[in-house]
Amino acid sequence: MTLRSTVTFVCALAAFVVSHQPGGLARTDPGSARAQVQQQPPPPPQTGAPPAGQQGRRGGGGGRGGTPIPFDNFTGFDKIFDGATLTNWDGDPTFWRVEGGAIVGESTAEKPVTANTFLIYRGSEPDNFELKLEFRMNSTNSGVQYRSRQLPGEVGKWVLCGYQADIDFNNAYTGMLYEERGRPGFLAPRGTVQYAGPNDAQQGQCSRPAGADPGRGAAAAVAGSPGTTIPAPTTPAPLRGPIGQVEDGEALRGIIKVNDWNQLHIIARGNTLIHLLNGHVTAVFVDDDQTNRSMKGLLGVQLHVGPPMKVEFRNIYLKNLR
């Protein structure tokens, strides 16, 4: 319905209602009508709660959207870190340990990380799921991998490529969707809703089968993997970019706690991926790129190359969606 037809319909409906009042449409002095309008009581304030006596309507109260579901509601979730051991988790023991009920990844000046390394969850490779966890860090960069793939041994024993909920100490990127060793750029910068359209060109290491030779054909740099090359695409650039915004990316920086625990919630349903941080949606990505996307895979947490750092993860819960 166009705007003009909508206005016409509303006017006609108003005329119908007035003409069917008892006694028909009575003549009223304009001044008297204005006085009657001015005497009407002001509308009640919009509080989000249903009017008195109407509780239970439109979803049972709690505001028009229902009562908020707290982060610590783990109905249907399984705890995948027991808080005491690294059972079902696999990583370099040089860097990963359990301490104080949390998974701790730490590098030092004496034991630096020379290439991004990951602690990999071996309990399952979920497809459609929700993941909840808390994290805290004191430097550098980290992230939470999902629907990821472990790369062959020549690039490191514990190396993943795939979707990543990015985390960094300066909070320039925390909350966004990045693709480790994958497609160039950021898939969904913080605060945005992004889309990737169909694509026939392989981009990044995750789009290639394990063991494929990356050096054949014309060379193109792989994001996140200096010195590694793949065949350059010969087709036009695929459709990819922002289609909306959920909140201002810089304003969202203000919700992130520095040197304190933050709550991360990842939802993956089909080709739609959602990141929530401390109760705010920070990134949404709709991935129609059938060549490069991943529909299932490994979970993991990252320790990033760079200066000495410490990152902690606790209260890790997974819900598989059917």
Side-chain angles (χ1 to χ4, degrees), residues 43-316:
Q46 298 297 316
T47 63
Q54 295 187 20
Q55 284 78 6
R57 298 177 60 187
R58 296 183 180 272
R64 294 189 178 185
T67 303
I69 300 173
F71 178 84
D72 60 1
N73 184 322
F74 299 119
T75 303
F77 284 78
D78 295 315
K79 192 172 186 178
I80 61 172
F81 166 55
D82 63 17
T85 71
L86 289 178
T87 300
N88 287 331
W89 294 84
D90 178 27
D92 189 339
T94 303
F95 302 113
W96 299 101
R97 67 182 188 273
V98 176
E99 184 178 281
I103 291 174
V104 177
E106 186 170 25
S107 62
T108 64
E110 296 74 28
K111 295 180 179 179
V113 173
T114 57
N116 294 350
T117 188
F118 298 82
L119 182 69
I120 304 169
Y121 177 63
R122 299 296 188 186
S124 65
E125 295 188 23
D127 45 15
N128 295 313
F129 68 90
E130 293 188 37
L131 179 71
K132 291 183 178 183
L133 59 80
E134 294 176 285
F135 69 87
R136 178 172 66 180
M137 68 186 307
N138 68 0
S139 181
T140 316
N141 188 286
S142 183
V144 177
Q145 295 290 136
Y146 60 98
R147 287 187 178 177
S148 294
R149 181 165 67 84
Q150 187 170 6
L151 292 177
E154 63 265 21
V155 296
K157 184 176 180 181
W158 295 282
V159 177
L160 294 177
C161 65
Y163 298 128
Q164 181 187 105
D166 208 340
I167 303 168
D168 72 298
F169 183 70
N170 293 325
N171 293 321
Y173 311 115
T174 301
M176 78 170 186
L177 174 55
Y178 174 67
E179 192 168 51
E180 179 80 4
R181 296 175 179 264
R183 286 164 282 186
F186 303 144
L187 297 187
R190 187 169 62 217
T192 67
V193 181
Q194 300 264 335
Y195 173 77
N199 179 17
D200 292 328
Q202 293 181 343
Q203 296 177 301
Q205 291 172 284
C206 265
S207 65
R208 295 200 314 273
D213 181 1
R216 299 185 184 277
V222 176
S225 182
T228 306
T229 58
I230 61 171
T234 57
T235 55
L239 179 65
R240 195 180 116 193
I243 56 175
Q245 183 168 336
V246 288
E247 290 189 51
D248 177 74
E250 188 59 29
L252 283 169
R253 185 195 289 243
I255 71 168
I256 306 168
K257 301 174 184 177
V258 178
N259 281 318
D260 201 354
W261 292 103
N262 292 274
Q263 298 172 333
L264 176 65
H265 185 181
I266 298 170
I267 302 173
R269 288 176 178 258
N271 64 339
T272 300
L273 312 171
I274 304 171
H275 293 178
L276 298 97
L277 185 63
N278 295 333
H280 292 253
V281 177
T282 57
V284 178
F285 187 54
V286 180
D287 198 351
D288 279 345
D289 181 351
Q290 76 287 352
T291 301
N292 298 290
R293 71 186 181 190
S294 176
M295 302 303 285
K296 67 174 294 184
L298 295 165
L299 302 174
V301 292
Q302 181 192 62
L303 195 63
H304 203 280
V305 64
M309 66 167 293
K310 179 180 179 180
V311 62
E312 302 167 84
F313 301 93
R314 70 180 186 186
N315 297 328
I316 307 175

